[in-house]
């Protein structure tokens, strides 16, 4: 129990208090006569006091030495303890109600301190210290749905940190010289350490969940589906994240479908007949399953699908069997659970879900028929005789089966390897008795532990699997271990319908499948004829039709080929579903994120388990790249088939853990050769030779030729290794990794892998853009970060947003991040040098329309940077050309909100004198100078460049307004205004003269005929002709518009006119600093977005006129 620190007088204190413990900074005392013998402690238990003393020693004792004086130490300790009291109070309140008052107070402080939009939901907060060098800063850590924030006000100094979750590249627990346990946050440029949490384990789990959910939601939308409770980020709570973590562990531990939602976790004991006692453990109840796991790892595990459950009943409560329930299953087994708290409500909820499952998938029992007709009975076709395997699945009536068989396409009725056994392809040798011994062991096991999906799974069955499953049972046991049997039973006719729907369809996926069909286990005779090839084609095509997100990926053909060898065609399909969608998550997609995550986990395991090898091979990524095929094909592509099937046996029972530990065993067996290898190619050859010489002494079939390794014949022969010995070594030496540890490492490394992809995308985009612009690479990198952050901020707070339209990892690198018009307007305001006050937003809209060439309302980074490059580094003629294009279609539209009628615009008037304060003679010289400039520009113009259309009077007025806005608040503002007035007057007169010339010269042309040339040559330009034609400009305006030509002016006219004024030339050619803009943009990007969202959230008041 933490108490508010107060100063006390120590005079005569020793007479009243007895010292229990002391250190250089703290002392623990008790009152005399209390706390021993008959005395008692008030306010807290002795255990709690000792626990808090230990916390002080571990977290504060070593930290205080960094302070220079006692006052700083006292201030720091007081602040820390007060924060702990506040956190402890809020934790107690949070347990009592959903929205405690303390949380609301923290939310108000969070919003005030960080000024986020209302959509940025605070999830939780903690008291802690953030280390700045060697000095800890006591403050508050706020964890929101998109950001990690820290606030501290200590010793008169305020510290604010805002770290988006998508910027975090590493999240880990570590230690430093002062503290034994800290949380380190690593971003692109900085590392930050946080420590002195009241409950560091809880904080780290919440941070890990938030980082994982946010990164996968925003960066991995290709293959990630959020849990239903997390679909709306603004509704995420701390409780939701804790439930997600528990759900993910549950699904990974029992390898259940992703749709399964965990409802209850209860401590209990299960009667285990093989040990004749109750085994302590936990019950997990989900939508479609009741599962049990013993507290002792590996002792016992049970999976009871509701499809197999017949009844759930309460038994009489006794002292020996407290709160018991009985769960009966179809295979005539009963499972007795005892010591269940709140038994009545548990049974009620289990019965409700049981009823729902049976209603969704009705099952018909037919007791009048022979048992062989009403249930599937698996028979062994082994040479040692028939071995009854028992019931596996629940089936519908025989009539419905016959109807489905008539409707479904012709499927292969049995495992492919069975046909080759009957054809006598085996060689009778000493291996067959070994197969018979295995069959007897398995049959004995079935009798004692059960033979269906509801069997007791213990260490004994793991040992049997490690020896290799008998060929006649292999496919059926794969179905049980992966629980694909439940999917098979729940979806009668589903596979046949998929085959019908996908047959005959031709697309890119089917073409890829056709290319790979004959590369799938070509050495096996089953795939040297059309029967095997056709079955493989149907399974792969049906799966691609079922799951278009995955479609087809290389290595799926090898895995499916093996499944077809040992399982019926429909069974092989559901096994493939189990592998792709839950046993190897995110492996088979465009970026194979799941496989890369496991490669990264494998690297960490190498460092932990094989430190000498890791030390010798400084770059473990080379080993990881070599081992990628081990994970993608479960060793099938690099090991003889008869040996690799034993690996697949272990995989179906133990999941990815089996591949990790076998990979470590392979590396350990070759550690000496790998350490002496000179380069990666030699290491690859060492491993390839070893794996190619792994034999299976127990395989009943003949050895198949292998073409996996590549080594020359003049090398020494490689010794043979038995697969059973290798698997046994892998379990003995590396089998201590738990599912929880592997899932934790996966979560940690997924962050690294996703950020690695982001870095790759960034580097590839910059590599393409750098040669085409003059912006410095470091500034370009800053611009990319701003561009990406602008996209992310819209994903944070603007829901619903079509995120997939703007971040698609399957698109080319340059097109993965794109922004819309509103996002572009904010970036334009932050980094563009052409700021025009209130006119800036309008200019940004026009710029966006100009850059959006394909009119999909999104632009890429390259287009954004190319435009900025002209503004900052372009020559004057390039800048003027860009401005010109911003004021003609498509940038300027008829509905432009700043557009005005040219006749009503008071800004420009042709009645102004052409040159202020100059004689008429000077004016003639001025026109000659302009004529020469236009002639020179025409000569330098690139002949291949597409000529720009001329600018109308309405467009020219908008062009002038933009220039006036750009000159506002410039140091040379007055000179620029006078210069642009001069140029504007000249250009208006040029346009009017051209209008009169066009009117007189186009009378004989037909209405739809285009002019000969858009830009007349300087020699023929009517602006330099004698303008004394008897009519003043005012007189010419009196004629109807229909009788006159269009008023136009060209880019060359505008550029030549601007070049006559030195102040304008100086303005457009002065060097511009982008670095200061970038610094300000980084600071103000969030606040600008917040202000905009706040404006949008305020109700618009519309005043109606009377």
């Amino acid at each position: 129990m933490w108490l508010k620190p107060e100063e006390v007088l120590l005079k005569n204190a020793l007479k009243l208090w007895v010292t229990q413990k002391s250190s250089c900074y703290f002392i623990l005392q008790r009152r005399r006569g209390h706390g021993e013998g008959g005395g008692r402690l008030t306010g807290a238990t002795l255990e709690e006091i000792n626990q808090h003393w230990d916390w002080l020693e571990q977290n504060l004792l070593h930290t205080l030495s960094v302070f220079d004086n006692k006052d700083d130490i006292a201030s720091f300790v007081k602040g820390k303890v007060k924060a702990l009291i506040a956190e402890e109070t809020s934790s107690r309140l949070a347990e009592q109600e959903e929205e405690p008052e303390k949380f609301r107070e923290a939310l108000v402080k969070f919003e005030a301190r960080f000024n986020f939009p209302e959509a940025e939901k605070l999830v939780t907060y903690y008291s802690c210290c953030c280390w700045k060098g060697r000095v800890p800063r006591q403050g508050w850590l706020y964890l929101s749905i998109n950001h990690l924030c820290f606030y501290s006000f200590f010793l008169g100094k305020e510290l604010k940190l805002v770290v988006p979750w998508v910027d975090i590249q590493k999240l880990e627990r570590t230690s430093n010289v002062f503290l034994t346990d800290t949380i380190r946050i690593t971003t692109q440029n900085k590392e930050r350490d946080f420590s002195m949490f009241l409950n560091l384990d809880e904080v780290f789990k919440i941070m890990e969940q938030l980082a994982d959910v946010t990164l996968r939601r925003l960066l991995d939308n290709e293959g990630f589906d959020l849990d239903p409770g997390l679909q709306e980020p603004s509704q995420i709570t701390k409780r939701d994240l804790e439930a997600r973590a528990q759900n993910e562990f549950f699904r990974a531990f029992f390898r259940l479908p992703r749709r399964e939602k965990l409802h209850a976790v209860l401590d209990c004991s299960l009667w285990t007949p093989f040990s004749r006692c109750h085994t302590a453990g936990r019950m997990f109840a989900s939508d479609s399953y009741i599962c049990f796991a013993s507290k002792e790892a590996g002792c016992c595990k049970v999976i009871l699908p509701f499809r197999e459950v017949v009844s759930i009943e309460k038994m009489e409560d006794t002292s020996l069997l407290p709160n018991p329930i009985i769960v009966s299953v179809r295979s005539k087994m009963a499972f007795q659970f005892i010591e269940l708290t709140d038994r009545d409500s548990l049974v009620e909820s289990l019965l409700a879900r049981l009823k729902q499952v049976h209603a969704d998938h009705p099952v018909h029992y037919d007791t009048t028929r022979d048992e062989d007709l009403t249930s599937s009975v698996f028979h062994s076709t082994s040479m040692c005789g028939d071995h009854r395997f028992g019931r596996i699945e629940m089936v519908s009536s025989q009539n419905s089966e016959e109807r489905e068989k008539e409707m479904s396409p012709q499927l292969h009725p049995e495992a492919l390897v069975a046909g080759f056994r009957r054809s006598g392809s085996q060689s009778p040798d000493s291996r067959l008795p070994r197969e018979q011994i295995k069959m007897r062991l398995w049959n004995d096991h079935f009798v004692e532990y059960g033979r269906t999906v509801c069997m007791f799974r213990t260490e004994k069955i793991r040992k049997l699997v490690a020896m290799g499953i008998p060929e006649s049972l292999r496919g059926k046991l794969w179905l049980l271990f992966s629980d694909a049997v439940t999917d098979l039973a729940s979806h009668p006719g589903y596979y046949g319908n998929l085959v019908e729907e996908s047959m005959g369809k031709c697309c890119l996926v089917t073409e890829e499948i056709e290319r790979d069909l004959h590369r799938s286990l070509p050495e096996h005779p089953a795939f040297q004829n059309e029967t095997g090839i056709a079955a493989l084609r149907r399974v792969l095509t049906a799966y691609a039709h079922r799951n278009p997100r995955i479609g087809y990926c290389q290595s799926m053909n090898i895995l499916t080929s093996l499944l077809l060898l040992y399982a019926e065609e429909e069974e092989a399909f559901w096994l493939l579903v189990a592998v792709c969608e839950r046993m190897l998550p995110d492996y088979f997609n465009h970026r194979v994120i799941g496989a890369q995550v496991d490669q990264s986990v494998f690297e960490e395991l190498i460092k932990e388990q094989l430190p000498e090898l890791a030390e010798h091979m400084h770059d473990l990524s080379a080993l990881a790249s070599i081992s990628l095929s081990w994970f993608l094909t479960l060793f099938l592509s690099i090991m003889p088939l008869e040996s690799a099937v034993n690996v697949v046996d272990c995989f179906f029972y133990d999941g990815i853990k089996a591949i990790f530990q076998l990979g470590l065993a392979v590396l350990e067996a070759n550690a000496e050769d790998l350490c002496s290898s000179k380069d990666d190619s030699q290491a690859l050859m060492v491993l390839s030779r070893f794996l190619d010489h792994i034999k299976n002494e127990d395989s009943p079939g003949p050895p198949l030729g292998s073409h996996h390794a590549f080594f020359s014949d003049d090398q020494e022969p490689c010794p043979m290794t038995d697969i059973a010995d290798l698997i046994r070594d892998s379990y003995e030496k590396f089998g201590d990794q738990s599912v929880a540890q592997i899932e934790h490492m996966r979560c940690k490394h997924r962050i690294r892998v996703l950020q690695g992809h982001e870095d790759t995308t960034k580097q590839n985009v910059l590599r393409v853009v750098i040669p085409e612009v003059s912006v410095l690479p470091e500034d370009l990198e800053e611009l990319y970060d701003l561009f990406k952050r602008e996209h992310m901020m819209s994903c944070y707070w603007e829901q619903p947003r079509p995120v997939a339209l703007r971040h698609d990892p399957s698109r080319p690198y340059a097109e993965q991040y794109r922004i819309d018009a509103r996002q572009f307007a904010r970036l334009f305001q932050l980094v563009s040098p052409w700021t025009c006050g209130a006119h800036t937003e309008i200019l940004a809209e026009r710029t966006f329309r100009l850059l959006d060439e394909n009119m999909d309302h999104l632009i890429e980074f390259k287009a954004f940077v190319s435009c900025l490059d002209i503004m900052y580094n372009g020559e004057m003629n390039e800048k003027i050309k860009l401005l010109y294009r911003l004021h003609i279609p498509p940038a300027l539209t008829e509905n432009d909100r700043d557009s005005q009628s040219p006749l009503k615009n008071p800004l420009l008037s042709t009645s102004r004198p052409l040159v202020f304060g100059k004689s008429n003679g000077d004016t003639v010289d001025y026109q000659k100078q302009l004529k020469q400039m236009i002639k020179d520009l025409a000569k330098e113009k690139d002949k291949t460049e597409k000529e720009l259309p001329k600018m109308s009077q309405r467009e020219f007025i908008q062009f002038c307004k933009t220039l006036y806005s750009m000159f506002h608040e410039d140091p040379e503002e007055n000179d620029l205004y006078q210069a642009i007035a001069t140029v504007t007057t000249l250009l208006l007169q040029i346009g009017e003269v051209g209008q009169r010339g066009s009117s007189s010269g186009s009378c004989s042309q037909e209405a739809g005929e285009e002019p000969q040339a858009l830009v007349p040559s300087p020699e023929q330009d009517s602006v330099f002709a004698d303008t004394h034609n008897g009519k003043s400009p005012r007189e010419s305006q009196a004629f109807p518009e229909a009788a006159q030509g269009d008023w136009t002016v060209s880019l060359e006219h505008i550029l030549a006119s601007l070049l006559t004024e030195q102040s304008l030339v100086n303005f457009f050619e002065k060097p511009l600093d982008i670095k200061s803009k970038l610094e300000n943009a980084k600071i103000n990007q969030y606040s600008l977005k917040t202000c905009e969202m706040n404006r949008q959230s305020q109700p618009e008041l519309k005043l109606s006129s009377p």
Side-chain angles (χ1 to χ4, degrees), residues 545-561:
H545 191 70
R546 164 192 164 85
N547 191 343
R549 173 179 287 179
I550 292 178
Y552 169 76
C553 291
Q554 285 188 344
S555 78
M556 286 173 66
N557 59 320
I558 298 174
L559 179 60
T560 308
S561 301

Side-chain angles (χ1 to χ4, degrees), residues 791-887:
H791 158 79
M792 287 298 174
M793 285 195 299
S794 294
C795 298
Y796 295 159
W797 302 315
E798 297 180 19
Q799 297 291 336
R801 302 284 293 177
V803 176
L805 292 176
R806 289 191 299 281
H807 180 225
D808 184 358
S810 63
R811 294 178 68 90
Y813 288 118
E815 301 176 15
Q816 287 191 16
Y817 284 110
R818 296 179 290 170
I819 57 176
D820 60 21
R822 280 193 298 170
Q823 296 164 331
F824 177 82
R826 288 191 295 270
L827 276 181
F828 189 91
Q829 184 175 344
L830 288 168
V831 298
S832 170
W834 292 355
T835 49
C836 312
H839 195 68
T840 304
E841 190 173 349
I842 296 167
L843 188 62
E845 290 177 5
R846 295 172 183 167
T847 308
F848 182 85
R849 285 195 291 266
L850 177 65
L851 299 178
D852 183 22
E853 294 179 354
N854 58 0
M855 301 184 70
D856 63 351
H857 308 294
L858 298 167
I859 65 165
E860 305 158 8
F861 177 70
K862 182 179 178 181
F864 170 71
V865 172
S866 300
C867 176
L868 279 183
D869 185 49
I870 294 175
M871 295 179 183
Y872 277 99
N873 304 311
E875 296 180 357
M876 180 178 174
N877 60 334
E878 293 175 319
K879 294 178 181 179
I880 299 303
K881 182 178 179 181
L882 175 60
L883 274 172
Y884 184 90
R885 294 181 66 196
L886 291 177
H887 294 85

Side-chain angles (χ1 to χ4, degrees), residues 517-614:
L517 286 177
H518 295 277
R519 305 174 190 169
S520 311
L521 302 186
E523 67 273 15
H524 198 286
F527 298 99
Q528 294 170 359
N529 60 63
E530 186 54 33
T531 302
I533 294 295
L536 179 60
R537 178 187 293 112
R538 287 192 294 270
V539 173
L540 291 174
T541 308
Y543 184 78
H545 191 70
R546 164 192 164 85
N547 191 343
R549 173 179 287 179
I550 292 178
Y552 169 76
C553 291
Q554 285 188 344
S555 78
M556 286 173 66
N557 59 320
I558 298 174
L559 179 60
T560 308
S561 301
L562 181 75
L563 300 178
L564 284 167
L565 287 178
Y566 295 99
E568 297 174 12
E569 187 174 324
E570 187 174 7
E571 295 171 348
F573 169 80
W574 286 111
L575 283 169
L576 182 65
V577 170
V579 171
C580 293
E581 296 178 12
R582 61 174 181 264
M583 298 187 74
L584 294 178
D586 297 336
Y587 263 57
F588 303 99
N589 55 29
H590 174 68
R591 300 190 295 175
V592 291
I593 292 290
Q596 292 185 52
V597 170
D598 283 348
Q599 291 301 294
S600 192
V601 172
F602 190 50
E603 287 183 38
E604 182 176 341
L605 290 174
I606 294 172
K607 293 175 184 176
E608 289 180 3
Q609 305 285 346
L610 303 171
E612 293 182 2
L613 178 63

Side-chain angles (χ1 to χ4, degrees), residues 605 608-610 657 660-671 725-737:
L605 290 174
E608 289 180 3
Q609 305 285 346
L610 303 171
K657 171 187 171 182
F660 281 129
Q661 62 194 33
L662 187 67
L664 292 171
V666 169
L667 294 181
E668 190 208 32
N670 294 274
D725 295 336
L726 189 63
I727 290 175
R728 186 176 62 252
D729 286 348
S730 74
Y731 275 104
E732 290 176 356
K733 297 177 179 178
F734 309 108
D736 56 349
Q737 296 293 328

Side-chain angles (χ1 to χ4, degrees), residues 716-757:
E716 295 182 7
C718 184
M720 302 297 290
T721 304
D722 187 54
I723 185 63
D725 295 336
L726 189 63
I727 290 175
R728 186 176 62 252
D729 286 348
S730 74
Y731 275 104
E732 290 176 356
K733 297 177 179 178
F734 309 108
D736 56 349
Q737 296 293 328
S738 68
V739 172
Q741 289 172 317
I742 289 175
E743 289 304 307
H744 167 69
M745 286 192 286
R746 276 178 160 179
C747 187
K748 179 174 73 173
H749 288 282
R750 189 180 295 111
I751 295 173
R752 192 186 71 81
V753 169
L754 288 174
Q755 292 292 13
H757 277 274

Side-chain angles (χ1 to χ4, degrees), residues 899-919:
S899 177
Q900 297 183 20
S901 167
L903 298 179
K904 295 179 181 179
N905 191 290
L907 178 65
L908 304 173
S909 171
T910 56
S911 61
R912 294 177 181 175
L914 182 60
V915 178
F916 294 95
K918 293 193 177 184
S919 62

Side-chain angles (χ1 to χ4, degrees), residues 1040-1074:
E1041 278 192 20
Q1044 299 180 10
D1046 291 333
W1047 186 102
T1048 59
V1049 66
S1050 69
L1051 171 64
E1052 287 75 12
H1053 291 148
I1054 292 175
L1055 183 57
S1057 301
L1058 291 172
L1059 287 171
T1060 61
E1061 295 291 334
Q1062 190 59 43
S1063 58
L1064 295 176
V1065 174
N1066 293 341
F1067 176 84
F1068 283 106
E1069 290 189 346
K1070 67 181 177 183
L1072 300 171
D1073 180 26
I1074 193 173

